[in-house]
Amino acid sequence: MDRSDLELALAVRQHGSLSKAARALQLAPPVVTKRLSALEADLGVRLFQRTTRRVSPTTEGHALCDRAAQLLQGFAAIEDELRERQSEPSGPIRMVSSFGFGRLWLGPLLAEFQQRCPAVQIELQLSERLPDLANEGFDAAIWLWNPPAHIAAEWISHKLAPNQRVLAAAPAYLRQHGMPTAPEQLTQHQCLVVRENGGETGQGQRFDEWRLTREGFARPLHIPVKGPLSSNSGEMVRDWCLAGQGIMLRSLWDIAPLLATGQLVRVLPDCAMHDAHIHWLAPYRSQMPLRIRLLQEFLADRFHEEPWKVLSSGRAAPRG
């Protein structure tokens, strides 16, 4: 059984007639009759009931045709992909990302990708809210995401990189208050708290507790924290931290440049919080255009390296 046999079976079921199937396939009617009989003999089952008025699939015929349709779609997708690889990617890509990550890390990579593929036009929208991608016309989103299962099932999702929140403070604060040497000592320090994404009502994370994973320990630590300053703005908390007002918990990708320049210092470097990771999100579509697939592969390769880790260590981030 080969591809032409699958196409023959589907044509017979679609047209309900051997002669009409022959015309659709541009074959002589006797050829269709002979090939269908040979296929049934080879499989050892009757695929179609023939009468003078109509040809109808049997149960086995329906099963074969359903599977044949899937296989032929797969053949077509492979052929389309190979054809696309011979052509230059072109056309628009509409992206969305959060303000901080989009400006600091995604934007420069999109510019680099566009230089590699000059026939592609990229629009990046920065937003505090993850939109309904399909209904609002977005091809994809790069988002820090940890969704419930019923929401995750609505989109295509690929994890690009882990999101690691680390503890940091300004050198001035540490000179005045000392460097904590154990997580439990954080209770004695001024901790700068970000109050966003829910609260203590059960709709999000607790503000007064940092859930830290420590290297070499299987169970996470739940450290109660307090301090005179808190905000729903992560940027505000970062500014306070830079001014020496306390210790904060912030994504490594966000403060990597500040760590590299010494404006901030890692506190308890063996401790971190792991929560919403960095994902590629896209609405479901039967076939992904070449330009979007190439962009996804490009971003997956670049973010897999976690360039902020390299930057935070004081070395230059890799380029090109």
Side-chain angles (χ1 to χ4, degrees), residues 190-195 226-231 237 240-241 245-246:
Q190 298 178 27
C191 293
L192 304 170
V193 176
V194 181
R195 296 178 174 270
K226 63 182 184 300
L229 294 171
S230 65
S231 174
V237 166
W240 285 334
C241 187
Q245 297 296 318

Side-chain angles (χ1 to χ4, degrees), residues 282-302:
Y284 281 102
R285 57 204 313 168
S286 58
Q287 185 176 356
M288 185 182 294
L290 174 64
R291 62 187 183 277
I292 298 177
R293 184 171 68 250
L294 290 179
L295 177 59
Q296 179 191 346
E297 293 171 355
F298 172 78
L299 294 177
D301 177 67
R302 290 308 183 89

Side-chain angles (χ1 to χ4, degrees), residues 98-244:
S98 58
F99 280 94
F101 191 84
R103 179 186 58 80
L104 191 60
W105 295 102
L106 179 60
L109 289 181
L110 292 181
E112 180 183 344
F113 179 82
Q114 198 283 324
Q115 289 183 334
R116 293 186 175 197
C117 305
V120 172
Q121 304 89 43
I122 302 176
E123 175 191 340
L124 174 61
Q125 180 170 316
L126 300 181
S127 173
E128 296 292 350
R129 175 188 64 87
L130 178 60
D132 186 328
L133 299 180
N135 289 336
E136 298 186 37
F138 289 101
D139 293 301
I142 305 299
W143 212 264
L144 276 67
W145 211 49
N146 187 19
H150 71 282
I151 295 178
E154 297 176 1
W155 291 327
I156 297 170
S157 172
H158 296 288
K159 179 181 172 182
L160 298 178
N163 178 42
Q164 183 183 41
R165 297 191 189 188
V166 300
L167 297 160
Y173 175 86
L174 296 175
R175 284 195 297 269
Q176 182 177 356
H177 299 277
M179 172 74 79
T181 57
E184 294 75 14
Q185 293 178 10
L186 290 171
T187 60
Q188 304 166 22
H189 282 265
Q190 298 178 27
C191 293
L192 304 170
V193 176
V194 181
R195 296 178 174 270
E196 60 184 0
N197 301 326
E200 298 175 26
T201 61
Q203 299 302 312
Q205 67 186 40
R206 291 185 59 176
F207 298 139
D208 61 344
E209 182 179 272
W210 286 347
R211 189 173 184 268
L212 302 176
T213 300
R214 191 177 188 185
E215 294 180 9
F217 292 79
R219 294 184 177 181
L221 301 171
H222 297 262
I223 305 299
V225 294
K226 63 182 184 300
L229 294 171
S230 65
S231 174
N232 67 331
S233 167
E235 289 72 20
M236 186 73 262
V237 166
R238 185 181 59 204
D239 290 345
W240 285 334
C241 187
L242 284 166

Side-chain angles (χ1 to χ4, degrees), residues 80-90 290-291 294:
D80 289 343
E81 179 179 343
L82 292 176
R83 289 193 195 100
E84 283 187 338
R85 288 183 182 275
Q86 303 303 315
S87 61
E88 180 184 10
S90 62
L290 174 64
R291 62 187 183 277
L294 290 179

Side-chain angles (χ1 to χ4, degrees), residues 39-51:
L39 178 59
E40 291 178 325
D42 184 54
L43 295 175
V45 295
R46 193 165 186 81
L47 299 174
F48 293 91
Q49 298 290 353
R50 287 84 150 171
T51 68

